[in-house]
Amino acid sequence: MAFEGLSTRLQNVFSKLRGKGKVSEDDVAQAMREVRLALLEADVNFKVVKDFIAKVKEKSVGKEVMDSFTPGMVIIDIVNKELTELMGGSQAKLAKANKPPTVIMMVGLQGAGKTTTSGKLAKLLQKQNHRPLLVAGDIYRPAAIKQLQILGEQINAPVFTMGDQTSPVEIAKQGLQHAKDNGNDYVIIDTAGRLHVDEELMEELRQIHANVKPDEVLLVVDSMTGQDAVNVAEHFNSSLELTGVVLTKLDGDTRGGAALSVKAVTGCPIKFATLGEKLDAMEPFHPERMASRILG
Ligand code: GDP
């Protein structure tokens, strides 16, 4: 299960507080030390942890909390609310163009799950009665175009491709036109990734951006890479203005560091999470549900 390690740690800390009729400031301080360690071990960004603990402490030591009937429960509730805030507060919805089609650009490093996530997103939109078009804009990874075509066949969604000899900018432009001509109300553009962030890739993505003016630029990051995922998000965001993040492979992420840091560090909301290789293993990211799941 996602975040198992963190969840177990935090539940242990709070089971001690939960039963207490009276809680001393020492109890709170001790609990906060343990929460701090648990978050650091979960690979949450150092500064994010510091701010988080400061906020929880500030709200927990007041007389109102200490004198309440069940102070332990009140503190758990404060932590729950702050965890929710940390992950964005409420669910960040996908943008919608005033005039269809809504254009979504998928960006990210190779292997993060960009192509499969494009297929998953198309499927999610189909379930809401939309007609997405997938555009194969990754012309560098040999198998990417074929992979997208296979995904398209599996979910019965059209895939626009011009092979690997046309520039991705041209493919994106023509793909958008194709969607307009064929009544597709969403266009999902799969773009190239690299093993590392590089300027050439960013320039190509900026060119696509300038030409198709996407309503959404979704960064796909592998949650299992923890703080590396957050660093990648910072890089992309500084040269591209992301509108949202998709956290992939949450099914294998026992730590949770990326999920808990990426919004706070980049200001970019997490819009979706993927939880498996199957095409329906994608869901909107709900910060409040995620926080409750962590705290058990
Ligand atoms: P791309 O290079 O970013 O386009 O990455 P791909 O879409 O090809 O995905 C890379 C690998 O990650 C594939 O084997 C996917 O099946 C796998 N993958 C993607 N998302 C998930 C997920 O949510 N959970 C798991 N377990 N695997 C995933």
Side-chain angles (χ1 to χ4, degrees), residues 118-258:
S118 300
K120 286 172 182 167
L121 182 57
K123 180 155 192 198
L124 210 62
L125 289 166
Q126 283 176 327
K127 276 197 211 148
Q128 299 162 6
N129 295 321
H130 294 297
R131 300 187 56 226
L133 172 72
L134 289 160
V135 175
D138 182 359
I139 62 167
Y140 307 106
R141 184 161 66 92
I145 298 175
K146 187 79 203 150
Q147 188 186 348
L148 199 65
Q149 283 173 322
I150 291 169
L151 287 170
E153 271 167 35
Q154 282 170 353
I155 59 173
N156 202 16
V159 178
F160 181 84
T161 156
M162 294 175 76
D164 60 5
Q165 298 301 312
T166 310
S167 82
V169 177
E170 194 56 31
I171 295 171
K173 269 163 56 179
Q174 303 241 5
L176 176 54
Q177 190 55 49
H178 184 89
K180 286 178 182 165
D181 295 343
N182 290 275
N184 297 107
D185 56 353
Y186 281 84
V187 183
I188 301 169
I189 305 173
D190 184 26
T191 65
R194 301 268 205 280
L195 288 175
H196 302 284
V197 180
D198 75 53
E199 193 40 42
E200 205 183 325
L201 169 68
M202 287 302 171
E203 184 49 34
E204 180 177 299
L205 296 175
R206 277 196 294 266
Q207 290 284 331
I208 297 174
H209 192 286
N211 277 276
V212 300
K213 304 206 168 40
D215 303 284
E216 286 278 2
V217 183
L218 295 181
L219 174 72
V220 178
V221 288
D222 179 345
S223 63
M224 286 168 70
T225 61
Q227 285 318 292
D228 277 346
V230 178
N231 294 337
V232 167
E234 264 193 301
H235 275 293
F236 271 83
N237 199 35
S238 64
S239 51
L240 213 60
E241 277 193 48
L242 304 172
T243 59
V245 171
V246 181
L247 281 181
T248 62
K249 310 183 196 181
L250 219 59
D251 50 310
D253 180 19
T254 54
R255 305 217 284 169

Side-chain angles (χ1 to χ4, degrees), residues 56-122:
V56 173
K57 263 191 186 158
E58 190 190 304
K59 291 182 180 156
S60 300
V61 292
K63 192 169 158 28
E64 218 174 294
V65 175
M66 294 302 179
D67 292 347
S68 71
F69 212 55
T70 51
M73 296 298 278
V74 177
I75 293 170
I76 295 166
D77 192 46
I78 292 168
V79 171
N80 191 342
K81 286 204 176 96
E82 288 302 324
L83 274 180
T84 304
E85 275 309 306
L86 197 57
M87 289 184 282
S90 57
Q91 203 241 309
K93 296 232 157 48
L94 200 63
K96 195 168 180 221
N98 289 333
K99 188 166 164 273
T102 296
V103 180
I104 304 168
M105 209 176 140
M106 309 293 285
V107 303
L109 294 186
Q110 212 172 82
K114 196 165 13 66
T115 304
T116 40
T117 301
S118 300
K120 286 172 182 167
L121 182 57

